[in-house]
Amino acid sequence: MKELIYTLFANYKDEIIFLHVISAVIWVGGMIAMRYAAHQSIQQLQSPFEKLQRTSYALKRLFVIVAPFIIIILLTAIIMLVGFGFHSAAIGADGNVINRYAMHLYNIVHLKESLWTIMTFNYLYMVVKRNKAQKLINSGDLVAAKVALSPIGQYLVPINIALGTLAIYLGVILQAG
Ligand code: HEM
């Protein structure tokens, strides 16, 4: 497996980094467009039903669009981890730190892994909440549907935008290092 990853990285390094970056652009950019453009526009509608229905549908489209890119970020990250050799540059065969700066970069990699994990769980939680809201909209319970949808726009999407932005910043540090 490691050999395959080394070969992939050696032959397609630029493409792999490109896929990683474009996935981040689509995931984080998609959330910003949804939260601060589409959502604002939908709020102009008069009918509460239409508002909830449009919000739920737009979120569904966003979640479907970003799903493959969440996976691509992880796959390309794994290839880069092995390809760039963050672990072997930081830690020797005896398990001791052999280079402080490389260890610093390796810790940033762990931080990015944590951010990806939190963002993905947050994403999955939003998918479940939206599905629940859609069922409530279909059954005509608009009050409960609003309660289910509101935290997505108020907290959950903004949290993922902030975490994704931090992940991009950490990516820049790794790239420069
Ligand atoms: C799964 C955990 C992740 C790992 C292990 C990881 C690892 C890396 C590495 C090693 C680089 C440097 C590539 C280079 O040297 O050219 C990088 C760059 C980058 N990462 Fe990640 N990443 C992860 C998740 C994410 C997430 C969740 C985002 C944003 C949503 C993201 C956005 C970026 C961006 C935009 C760059 C390019 C920075 C630049 O070119 O200056 N990464 N990442």
Side-chain angles (χ1 to χ4, degrees), residues 27 108-122 159-160 162-171:
W27 191 2
I108 291 179
V109 163
H110 285 319
L111 192 51
K112 287 198 81 173
E113 285 165 354
S114 314
L115 288 173
W116 181 91
T117 306
I118 297 167
M119 288 174 72
T120 301
F121 274 107
N122 189 13
I159 285 173
N160 260 10
L163 296 180
T165 306
L166 179 58
I168 293 170
Y169 175 69
L170 294 177

Side-chain angles (χ1 to χ4, degrees), residues 17 20-21 24 77 80 84 86 112-113 116 167 171-172 174-175:
I17 295 172
H20 190 76
V21 175
M80 286 194 294
F84 281 122
F86 283 100
K112 287 198 81 173
E113 285 165 354
W116 181 91
V172 173
L174 288 178
Q175 204 264 348

Side-chain angles (χ1 to χ4, degrees), residues 118-132:
I118 297 167
M119 288 174 72
T120 301
F121 274 107
N122 189 13
Y123 164 87
L124 292 173
Y125 181 60
M126 286 191 276
V127 169
V128 170
K129 268 202 139 351
R130 194 219 68 90
N131 288 344
K132 187 180 157 203

Side-chain angles (χ1 to χ4, degrees), residues 83-94:
F84 281 122
F86 283 100
H87 182 269
S88 48
I91 299 166
D94 55 4

